[in-house]
Amino acid sequence: MQIRPKRFDVGPILKQETIPVPPKSTAKELEVVLSRLGANMLISVLKNLPESLKNGRQQPTEGVTHAPKISARTSCIKWEEQTSEEIFRLHRAIGSIIPLQTLWMDNTIKLLDLVEVNRSVLTDPKLTGQAVIPGSIIYHKQSQKLLVCCKDGWIGVRSVMLKKTLTAADFYNGYLHPWHKKNSQAHPSQCRFQTLRLPAKKRGEKIVAMQQCTK
């Protein structure tokens, strides 16, 4: 687009292309595709700049959407409010920049690798045979994933960061299993993930703005 003095994102469009967003793609993966496309478009415009400027068209005023501002608070999962699909979308949108976060036993944990849970795993008696509340954690040995209960189902976690990067098996063996062994009479919900409440943004705090990958 053509740049207007002291204004951002408002100039005439010189060239525009549309491509489908690949299913389950992440923002990082989409960035690679769009950067290549954008580079080729820029070269095309520069090769015939006078005509490109002449044929520029104004941006539409209807149907405009604004990318939300993303900060560390955006990455805090609300297990009671967000569905497994919403959490997975959020991970794909910002996970490569700001890993999703949660609270466990007063410790902040970053969830590094989130995946959808297969239907075959969802038939496990541990998931269907008892009442669980959002944030509850179950280690699924066969798939080597932590399964975390969300508002409407389960999300899989393959690795976390607690002081250092841990696989799901490492987190289970080093933290979850010892806790359950030591607190055998406690209800499993006491060992669940909880929403991390970060303080309101301070003035001057750096914020990253980007478009979320939602599909």
Side-chain angles (χ1 to χ4, degrees), residues 68-176:
K69 291 182 178 180
I70 295 174
S71 68
R73 297 180 73 191
T74 312
S75 68
C76 298
I77 300 177
K78 302 177 179 65
W79 300 105
E80 297 85 358
E81 301 174 19
Q82 294 174 299
T83 65
S84 57
E85 183 178 1
E86 289 171 339
I87 294 171
F88 188 46
R89 286 182 175 186
L90 185 62
H91 168 67
R92 285 163 32 226
I94 70 171
S96 61
I97 299 177
I98 308 177
L100 302 193
Q101 302 182 85
T102 191
L103 192 66
W104 183 76
M105 298 296 171
D106 296 324
N107 294 295
T108 299
I109 291 185
K110 295 181 179 180
L111 309 182
L112 304 179
D113 189 4
L114 275 68
V115 293
E116 293 180 307
V117 179
N118 295 332
R119 291 184 179 180
S120 59
V121 174
L122 294 174
T123 60
D124 190 304
K126 288 184 179 180
L127 307 184
T128 60
Q130 58 180 322
V132 292
I133 62 176
S136 297
I137 317 165
I138 294 176
Y139 177 64
H140 191 259
K141 188 175 182 180
Q142 289 76 8
S143 62
Q144 295 189 320
K145 297 185 187 77
L146 297 173
L147 305 181
V148 189
C149 182
C150 313
K151 177 183 177 180
D152 70 333
W154 298 83
I155 191 80
V157 181
R158 290 195 289 209
S159 63
V160 304
M161 180 175 285
L162 176 60
K163 299 181 181 179
K164 63 178 182 179
T165 300
L166 303 167
T167 65
D170 291 336
F171 183 71
Y172 173 74
N173 292 327
Y175 294 93
L176 286 183

